[in-house]
Amino acid sequence: MTKHVTLTQFIIEQQRELPGVSGAFTSLLNDVVTACKKISNLVNRGNLIGVLGSADSQNVQGEVQKKLDIITNDIMVDALNWTGHLAGMASEEIDDIISIPSQYPKGKYLALFDPLDGSSNIDVNLAVGTIFSILRCCEGVEPALEDFLRKGSEQVCAGFVLYGPSTMMVLTTGQGVNGFTLDQAIGEFILTHPNMTIPNDTNEFAINMSNQRFWEPPVQRYIEECLQGTEGLRKKDFNMRWVASMVAEVYRILTRGGVFLYPFDLRDPSRAGKLRIMYEANPMAFIIEQAGGACSTGRERILDIKPKGLHQRVPVILGSKNEVERIVGYHQEG
Ligand code: P6P
């Protein structure tokens, strides 16, 4: 019988190789995993337990919140705030940084997360996910906003959980990318996709075509060439996918290559794009680069950006390295 490696065993064995690891990180990651297992169970039973639909409220982004947006945010906060591993948290659903209650010790990590990415899909039974990013900070000290606003290159861990036909966790701690499938029978994530790597080339792009009139010329040019297929410059046909759930798009790209674009949007230059740098772009960029891909705004590497705000938005172009570099080249040509 094949010996299955659980996520817990994988993390402990990987951390054992690192100098000076206290075990706090391993324990923190296991707490994140427990929260995501709870979310998986709720998402799976959605209609049966009345947690779908809108909450008749808006989040800091001005987006209508789904009931599960709020529930999953509370699950993440309640699973992590007592552990003594975190000095603070940040969530897509909460305007300010989330402090650790005074009765709990403050640890040396910061957790940032989008508790339910793609939640507009939840009512139509399409894939959604949880995205998380871990930064290191001074232990035992109340963190200030500035402690969160660190470049993505400073992340110590990034991951996401995709609640799809299978519940999958994808994780990096800077030593490559590994994928785990939740075995519902035993409640454990099992290593099923070791050392995930992205092909450098692809013939599949993901973009919301309804926004085409708001794209800048370099993105217009790239997508037009894809649509011209064998009759155009690229001399090959392309396929298109748009799931409207970043976690699903990124997982597909990790498994078969591709390029995902949520580009700069001319409608509102102050927004720059739709996706948030701290808990969407940065963790996904860390994962994509660790898998051999690339992630850019079109003008700069996402992981090099010094964030200005907790909910700052950035344009995102990520995936197969040669495609991302082509699009970046078009931006440089103007
Ligand atoms: P649109 C989900 O709301 C999200 O933040 C990403 O997961 C997804 O890629 C994108 O927005 C979808 O945006 O404009 O197509 O609904």
Side-chain angles (χ1 to χ4, degrees), residues 53-107:
S54 290
D56 299 329
S57 58
Q58 287 193 350
N59 63 14
V60 63
Q61 328 281 344
E63 297 162 339
V64 173
Q65 287 178 303
K66 300 290 187 184
K67 290 176 191 168
L68 270 178
D69 282 323
I70 297 168
I71 295 168
T72 56
N73 178 73
D74 293 348
I75 288 174
M76 291 294 284
V77 172
D78 295 344
L80 301 176
N81 65 5
W82 55 271
T83 62
H85 301 312
L86 294 181
M89 292 181 244
S91 169
E92 182 197 44
E93 299 304 327
I94 306 295
D95 192 2
D96 298 318
I97 56 181
I98 302 165
S99 297
I100 300 301
S102 55
Q103 68 265 36
Y104 301 133
K106 288 178 181 48

Side-chain angles (χ1 to χ4, degrees), residues 53-247:
S54 290
D56 299 329
S57 58
Q58 287 193 350
N59 63 14
V60 63
Q61 328 281 344
E63 297 162 339
V64 173
Q65 287 178 303
K66 300 290 187 184
K67 290 176 191 168
L68 270 178
D69 282 323
I70 297 168
I71 295 168
T72 56
N73 178 73
D74 293 348
I75 288 174
M76 291 294 284
V77 172
D78 295 344
L80 301 176
N81 65 5
W82 55 271
T83 62
H85 301 312
L86 294 181
M89 292 181 244
S91 169
E92 182 197 44
E93 299 304 327
I94 306 295
D95 192 2
D96 298 318
I97 56 181
I98 302 165
S99 297
I100 300 301
S102 55
Q103 68 265 36
Y104 301 133
K106 288 178 181 48
K108 60 185 177 183
Y109 295 106
L110 302 175
L112 302 92
F113 46 82
D114 180 356
L116 201 64
D117 179 65
S119 57
S120 59
N121 283 329
I122 195 74
D123 294 341
V124 292
N125 198 30
L126 291 177
V128 292
T130 298
I131 309 172
F132 59 90
S133 168
I134 308 289
L135 293 166
R136 200 187 299 281
C137 71
C138 297
E139 186 158 11
V141 177
E142 183 70 36
L145 176 59
E146 198 52 36
D147 296 309
F148 286 81
L149 301 182
R150 310 252 286 288
K151 291 182 179 181
S153 54
E154 295 186 50
Q155 294 171 98
V156 294
C157 172
F160 63 82
V161 179
L162 173 59
Y163 309 110
S166 284
T167 291
M168 301 283 307
M169 173 172 274
V170 169
L171 189 67
T172 187
T173 56
Q175 299 156 274
V177 177
N178 293 280
F180 303 81
T181 302
L182 180 62
D183 182 341
Q184 306 274 5
I186 59 173
E188 283 285 355
F189 279 102
I190 305 297
L191 178 64
T192 50
H193 295 70
N195 191 29
M196 300 183 88
T197 51
I198 301 172
N200 287 333
D201 296 297
T202 184
N203 63 350
E204 191 162 67
F205 67 92
I207 195 166
N208 182 339
M209 290 296 291
S210 69
N211 298 327
Q212 184 172 21
R213 61 192 184 283
F214 306 121
W215 300 338
E216 292 181 298
V219 173
Q220 297 276 5
R221 173 183 173 189
Y222 174 74
I223 297 298
E224 181 54 35
E225 287 175 357
C226 290
L227 296 174
Q228 286 170 357
T230 50
E231 289 95 67
L233 175 87
R234 302 301 306 275
K235 299 282 185 252
K236 64 179 182 177
D237 289 333
F238 279 74
N239 188 31
M240 196 201 98
R241 287 285 182 274
W242 190 250
V243 185
S245 189
M246 189 183 194
V247 287

